[in-house]
């Protein structure tokens, strides 16, 4: 366990330092001590939930004790509260109740009426919607009022991902999510195949439909790497947790017809439709995101790891931002 905690500490410190450096280079007020402290606290559950020993310890601590489970879940609010103490917005009574319900309701629903075992229930699907919709509709981004380069979406999206992992991995004890920080050579090779497969389909389609234009601009290796890290940890991995680790995972357990590929197709279409509220949000984006979802889902299915899908996802987004603006 000591080795696990040391690894988590190194990962938290490393990513926090990278984020602080990025903020410093942008010369914005986002680099305040409060925001850096909140970011570091936000990263503790982010990485801790990626280690089996930590998850098992949390399961044991919360076994048969709904109050303790709920209080453990409320600890996820600490980074956001640190930002508020540092002057990054204010909480009204309505917003406070909204946050309390957002965190408490899913945990209590799963603890009281959720059932164990492999096959998902109606309660599982209801909890998934309660976790996803507020983040998808960007409801909680209004809670923090941060300066230029506003990272409020990072707080909101990461809070949603960590709460989802806590609910389904610790409270629900759902297996096969694939959230683990243990990158293997198979993850790298399969992720690379998924990346190349999508690029072979996506680039010609996006150019032919006028969705993108080829306009490459190189920003240097350092900035490119920081861009990749930001996309990986705060866009790609949270989305892979939701669409592959939870939605695709549970669909496989519910749908027996056609093997896992029926579930792969359905989850990929859901992933595509979720991009309708992202600019430019039209049928071309839905089509391309659905194709990307098929590739990322295949990587997850092949390896059982979200890292393979997430790094392919992050590379697609990074390449798109640097070479194919839409």
């Amino acid at each position: 366990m000591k080795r696990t905690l040391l690894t988590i500490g190194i990962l938290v410190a490393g990513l926090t330092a990278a984020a602080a450096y990025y903020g410093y280079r942008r010369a914005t007020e986002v680099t305040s001590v409060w925001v850096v402290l909140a970011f570091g606290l936000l990263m503790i559950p982010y990485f801790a939930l990626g280690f089996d020993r930590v998850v098992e310890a949390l399961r044991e601590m919360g076994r048969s004790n709904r109050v303790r489970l709920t209080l453990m879940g409320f600890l996820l609010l600490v980074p956001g509260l640190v930002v508020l103490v540092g002057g990054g917005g204010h909480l009204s009574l309505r917003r406070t109740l909204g946050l309390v319900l957002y965190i408490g309701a899913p945990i209590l629903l799963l603890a009281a009426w959720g059932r164990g075992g492999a096959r998902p229930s109606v309660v599982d699907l209801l909890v998934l919607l309660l976790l996803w919709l507020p983040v998808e509709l960007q409801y909680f981004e209004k809670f923090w009022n941060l300066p230029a380069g506003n990272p409020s979406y990072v707080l909101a999206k990461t809070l949603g991902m960590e709460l989802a992992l806590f609910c389904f991995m610790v409270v629900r004890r759902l297996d096969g999510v694939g959230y683990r920080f243990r990158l293997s050579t198979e993850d790298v090779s399969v992720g690379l195949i998924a990346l190349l497969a999508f690029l072979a389909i996506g680039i010609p389609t996006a150019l032919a439909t006028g969705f993108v234009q080829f306009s490459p601009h190189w920003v240097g290796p350092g900035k490119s790497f920081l861009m990749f890290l930001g996309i990986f940890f705060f866009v790609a991995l949270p989305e892979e947790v939701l669409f592959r680790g939870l939605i695709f995972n549970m669909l496989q357990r519910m749908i027996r017809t056609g093997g896992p590929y029926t579930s792969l197709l359905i989850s990929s279409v859901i992933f595509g439709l979720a991009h309708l509220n992202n600019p430019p949000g039209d049928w071309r984006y839905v089509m391309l995101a659905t194709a990307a979802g098929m590739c990322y889902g295949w990587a997850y299915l092949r390896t059982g790891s979200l890292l393979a899908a997430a790094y392919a996802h992050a590379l697609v987004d990074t390449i798109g931002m640097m070479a194919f603006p839409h």
Side-chain angles (χ1 to χ4, degrees):
M1 191 65 168
K2 289 183 179 179
R3 186 176 178 181
T4 298
L5 294 176
L6 177 62
T7 303
I8 293 169
I10 292 171
L11 290 170
V12 169
L15 191 57
T16 302
Y21 176 74
Y22 176 74
Y24 170 76
R25 289 296 301 269
R26 286 177 61 92
T28 69
E29 298 174 28
V30 175
T31 53
S32 72
V33 173
W34 290 107
V35 173
V36 174
L37 174 61
F39 185 89
L41 293 172
L42 191 69
M43 292 301 97
I44 293 174
Y46 191 112
F47 288 112
L49 290 169
F51 290 85
D52 292 339
R53 287 188 175 184
V54 175
V55 172
E56 286 300 325
L58 291 173
R59 287 177 175 178
E60 189 61 32
M61 289 173 60
R63 189 183 299 275
S64 302
N65 194 320
R66 298 170 192 171
V67 175
R68 187 183 298 165
L69 275 173
T70 308
L71 292 176
M72 287 163 59
F74 277 118
L75 289 176
L76 297 174
L77 272 180
V78 172
L81 294 176
V82 168
V83 172
L84 291 170
V85 169
H90 66 280
L91 274 181
S92 65
L93 178 60
R94 180 177 60 85
R95 290 179 175 180
T96 302
L97 290 175
L99 275 174
V100 169
L101 286 173
Y102 179 66
I103 289 180
I107 295 172
L108 291 174
L109 278 172
L110 284 176
W113 291 288
R115 68 183 186 197
R119 192 170 179 82
S121 66
V122 174
V123 173
D124 293 322
L125 300 179
L126 175 61
V127 167
L128 196 57
L129 282 175
L130 290 175
L131 292 168
W132 175 29
L133 287 180
V135 176
E136 183 69 22
L137 299 175
Q138 302 177 353
Y139 177 72
F140 289 110
E141 291 181 23
K142 306 168 187 174
F143 282 52
W144 296 280
N145 180 26
L146 295 170
N150 189 350
S152 297
Y153 75 94
V154 171
L155 280 170
K157 198 166 191 176
T158 308
L159 170 63
M161 183 195 82
E162 292 174 352
L163 180 58
L165 289 170
F166 180 79
C167 283
F168 284 98
M169 291 174 58
V170 177
V171 181
R172 168 65 169 79
R173 300 168 182 257
L174 181 69
D175 294 325
V177 174
Y179 188 77
R180 58 176 184 265
F181 286 99
R182 190 174 63 250
L183 187 65
S184 67
T185 54
E186 183 186 29
D187 293 338
V188 175
S189 59
V190 170
L192 181 60
I193 294 172
L195 168 68
L196 295 175
F198 175 71
L199 293 180
I201 300 168
I203 291 176
T205 303
L207 290 171
T209 58
F211 183 71
V212 299
Q213 296 178 346
F214 182 59
S215 179
H217 57 287
W218 177 242
V219 295
K223 191 171 182 180
S224 298
F225 180 65
L226 287 174
M227 182 189 300
F228 170 78
L229 284 182
I231 293 172
F232 178 86
F233 285 108
F234 304 114
V235 177
L237 194 49
E239 291 185 2
E240 292 309 309
V241 166
L242 172 65
F243 292 102
R244 257 58 70 178
L246 296 179
I247 293 178
F248 180 29
N249 184 3
M250 289 197 284
L251 283 174
Q252 285 188 81
R253 301 167 189 271
M254 295 172 64
I255 301 173
R256 304 299 183 184
T257 306
Y261 294 100
T262 302
S263 302
L264 174 59
L265 177 60
I266 294 172
S267 62
S268 299
V269 171
I270 295 172
F271 179 65
L273 292 173
H275 286 72
L276 271 175
N277 67 337
N278 296 352
D282 58 28
W283 67 270
R284 295 169 300 176
Y285 207 174
V286 173
M287 178 178 63
L288 288 166
T290 299
M294 293 288 289
C295 296
Y296 307 152
W298 172 81
Y300 169 71
L301 182 64
R302 180 70 182 269
T303 62
S305 170
L306 291 173
L307 291 188
Y311 101 77
H313 187 158
L315 283 172
V316 166
D317 287 2
T318 304
I319 292 169
M321 290 180 68
M322 292 196 299
F324 299 98
H326 58 67

